[in-house]
Amino acid sequence: MARPLARALAAVSRASTTHPIHTIVLIGLVASTAYLSILNISVPHAAQLAPAHLYHSSAPASEWKQIADPAKFPAASHYAFVKLRFDDTDVALPILNNSVPVLSPLERGVLVPYADLKEWTDSVRELAPAGSPDANAALSGWVWHMSMAKRGFAWIEWFKFSYSRFIQLLRNAETFDVTVIGMAYVAMYLTFLALFISMRRLGSNVWLGVSVLLSSTFAFLFALVTTSYMGVPINMIMLSEGLPFLVIIIGFEGSISLTRAVMKSSKPSMSDVVKAVEQVGPKICFDYAIETAVFVAGACSGVGGLRQFCFLSVWILIYDVLMLFTFYVAILSVKLEFIRIKRHIAIRNTLEEDGVSVSVAESVADSVDESETLSSENVFLGKSFKDFSISYFKTFMVIGFVVLNLFNLSTAPFRDHKSTMTAVDPFVVVPSLASLAPAESVVVTVLPSLEYYLVPKSTELEEAMVLLFDSWSRTIGDPVLSQWVAIVLAVSVGLNMYLFKASRYSAQAAPEVKVIEKIVEVPQILTSSTASATTIATDFASSTNPSDSDKESDDGVIELNIKPKARVLPFDEALAMVKAGRTKELNDEDVIMLTKAGKIPLYALEKQLGDCTRAVYVRRAVISRSLDNGSLEKSNLPFLHYDFTRVLGACCENVIGYMPIPVGIAGPLIIDGHKYYIPMATTEGCLVASTMRGCKAMNAGGGVTTVLTQDGMTRGPCVSFPSLVRAGAAKIWLDSDEGQRVIKKAFDSTSRFARLNSLKTAIAGTLLYIRFCTTTGDAMGMNMISKGVEHALKVMSEHAGFPDMDVVSVSGNYCTDKKPAAINWIEGRGKSIVAEALVPGDVVRSVLKSDVDALVELNITKNLIGSAMAGSVGGFNAHAANLVTAIFLATGQDPAQNVESSNCITLMKRVGDDLLISVSMPSIEVGTIGGGTILEPQSAMLDLLGVRGPHPTSPGDNARQLAKIVAAGVLAGELSLCSALAAGHLVQSHMTHNRSQPATRTATPAASSPDLARLKQGAQVCFTA
């Protein structure tokens, strides 16, 4: 049953996600129609209230009596009694014809022949205040307006009416009812709040929460209209009492669970919406079916008010589930599209701020997808609850609703019933009817009162606008014309959707073009100097006709057809084509000839040819033919099957190929409760295997725990002053609160991501060194920091009173970048991470083949004392740089920053029978966007770790997580290497795994049998996982 239902729901949702705008507009139009129908049904107007009829016979001593139908007394004279109420005692009331006395000074009573009622009503829509013109000079532009004729918004009257009814209901209600209903309304508003908190945790601050409420409101409107047309009257009092229970019972768990199922995908898209519906849709429908069954039972109870409310609730549930899988699904699809566009723009802007060219930034932004993993818990007011907790709460509210109705039914016979509406009392107006002739029979229809307000007199322009809108409303209301308007609207929506899709597809990057290198053997005529046929790579020339130069293979890969070398043009003719901007039309040999002659710069080949791969080929040929050996052109350095467009203007210049490096995986390693596979690019054998062993040992103790202690990239410019006094004044100003505030404001204005945390200054003679410590989001951020530093120094020079300051260098080595420096070791740079793990003693013996005490002693003597004896700065470790460099290369980090990023102190101590090992790394410099992370292989490794690109909700979290992974990898490598050293396994393991041929006795001294056995055991454990 669940399978067919899931497929049916997926089909409905697929239609909504394919045409989301059409779905939203169509449902919005239908809901608007339902809203107008509800207004006609429920909004009260004075003219719609039932009048009362009084009859007075001509017989002597007769009295007024109330009758139901005036038509039964055709011989009687028929009058209408209307009471006019005015809201201001300071202004003279108007003088009216046929007026009769009434009790209140703010009221006027009028008797009008019933046949003239309509004409009279039209004549009193506006009344002038009474009195002389001089006495009312201040009111010459004011008139009394009938409330029904008063121009304004309809909801104002509705709120006034609702407020008056609420006060009446509150006065007449029982205390118990008020308490229970009040608590229910509080719970309903908390349910709304919980909805927005849950949606906020799922990545939407307002949009999705409002959409869920709008969807439920539409369902409510549709249900009201349906029940009204089915002839089931709705008691508005009962509805207002049961509405909070209905909201709490139905809840919004269906919308939240559907949103969670969509957003938990690492790359959410419109297709994920359909998959999520297919996954959680049957369960949602099952919950709705149970709730519907409960209300169906209530509708069959036969209790008047309860039956009506349950009947309405059934229809609300039916429409709510329809809105969920159509309207809300369409909204969710549009939301995902906006997320994609927003993320695209954010990545592009970040890369541009980091100095990447616009074209490369656009290309990278197109390829980066969402990688956020969301929690699957239910959230209420910021706290997590399991599904059964929500079920208990809903069950409690159902029981409360039933108990409340049972209480009302059981106590109904004993209550003092009071009318909740003030009925028209016709006998109150009897004294005002004394002027009527008693000699004839009279019927008086007592109409509801007319309310008047004092407002400014309408201007001619306003009257013209009212007439215009009235005429337009009548025109639109024409049945034929309204259909044409609907058709035009539908065509307009369709056209806009077509243009939207067209603009979207045109904005996407061109499909990736991959090339397959083909070697064509061309037999050459042997001469006396040629020993055999030579296999050569033919020319990479491209034809002006794309169909001649490439074709698409069956697997979708573009293959370049390599053609024999074409005829070389004369030098002058080829040069003329270059000057005319037609370089790309030249043969490769022509381009090589012109480049060797210096007519085309070597670095400008990509721009001239418009093809990065062809430019690389030509550059290789030019360099190769300029050398004596000419080996580069036919070398094994690869250059095909690579996207050089991302390299251009971002990662490298004068490209001649790419250097493949083996990438291994260590892990899984549990880091802060999550499993990670750590990619390592290295050419050192046994490094990955050794790290793998360390991961296994630490996982046995629960994994690695990490702590971030600081996050701040630095740049340290050097500025000079004419004298020491001026340099000292600048230092004092920078260290002051005012200086910090001015510099921070200037620095932060240059970027949306870089934020200045602190300044540290040092003075040397007339030279002042300023260390800017900043956060840079998920980028490593040196370029955006440099831009901010330049602007901050400019503001300091021009607006802070230091015009004599001279900027020596934007980087004065006080950062310090890519050099050993104690300041990085002490103050930190980038991410400061501490990682630790507890390794059980039996694991140390069985997996690491060592001993806890031996490891502790080795760490002290080697990593601490040995490093101190060498005068090391930040090098109190075994081989942290090995792991840092391998992970840096695999994930696109700057390998030169391995210098400071490898600052590490490794500590070990015995805790009971176990080993506690930790690494403290104060200066890990990483980023997940910009630099080498834009290259596809490196970004794939970041995807593997789940930290690719900027974090969608908390900028900087991805880079911080990558730093923690680096520190955890270093911890695994330290543990395994120190264990190998303590057991004496290191040499033999490397000799076994890093050599193609075993060492001979002539090259290696002989070893004893016990030593050989121990070394052989060490070689075996190197790859133990």
Side-chain angles (χ1 to χ4, degrees), residues 176-177 238 241 403-413 415:
F176 176 77
D177 290 350
M238 186 68 179
E241 292 177 352
V403 169
L404 176 62
N405 282 276
L406 290 177
F407 178 81
N408 289 335
L409 290 174
S410 62
T411 60
R415 294 190 183 181

Side-chain angles (χ1 to χ4, degrees), residues 234-255:
I234 300 299
N235 188 325
M236 299 305 293
I237 299 176
M238 186 68 179
L239 178 61
S240 63
E241 292 177 352
L243 183 62
F245 294 95
L246 179 63
V247 171
I248 297 168
I249 293 169
I250 297 178
F252 306 105
E253 284 78 22
S255 302

Side-chain angles (χ1 to χ4, degrees), residues 370 477 704 740 836:
E370 189 68 44
V704 180
Q740 299 268 339
E836 73 166 12

Side-chain angles (χ1 to χ4, degrees), residues 84-96 105-108 121-131 136 139-151 450-458:
L84 284 65
R85 292 179 179 176
F86 302 88
D87 69 341
D88 197 339
T89 57
D90 297 332
V91 180
L93 301 185
I95 300 175
L96 300 171
L106 293 179
E107 296 178 349
R108 291 289 185 269
T121 303
D122 293 337
S123 67
V124 296
R125 292 189 180 276
E126 288 188 1
L127 298 174
N136 293 276
L139 299 173
S140 59
W142 293 72
V143 292
W144 290 104
H145 263 284
M146 188 188 300
S147 62
M148 295 304 298
K150 180 184 177 183
R151 299 176 181 87
L450 298 177
E451 304 289 339
Y452 281 82
Y453 299 89
L454 192 66
V455 296
K457 189 176 181 180
S458 303

Side-chain angles (χ1 to χ4, degrees), residues 72 117 126 406 529 597 617 637 803 918 954:
K72 294 181 179 180
L117 179 61
E126 288 188 1
L406 290 177
S529 60
Y617 170 79
L637 178 69
S918 67
S954 181

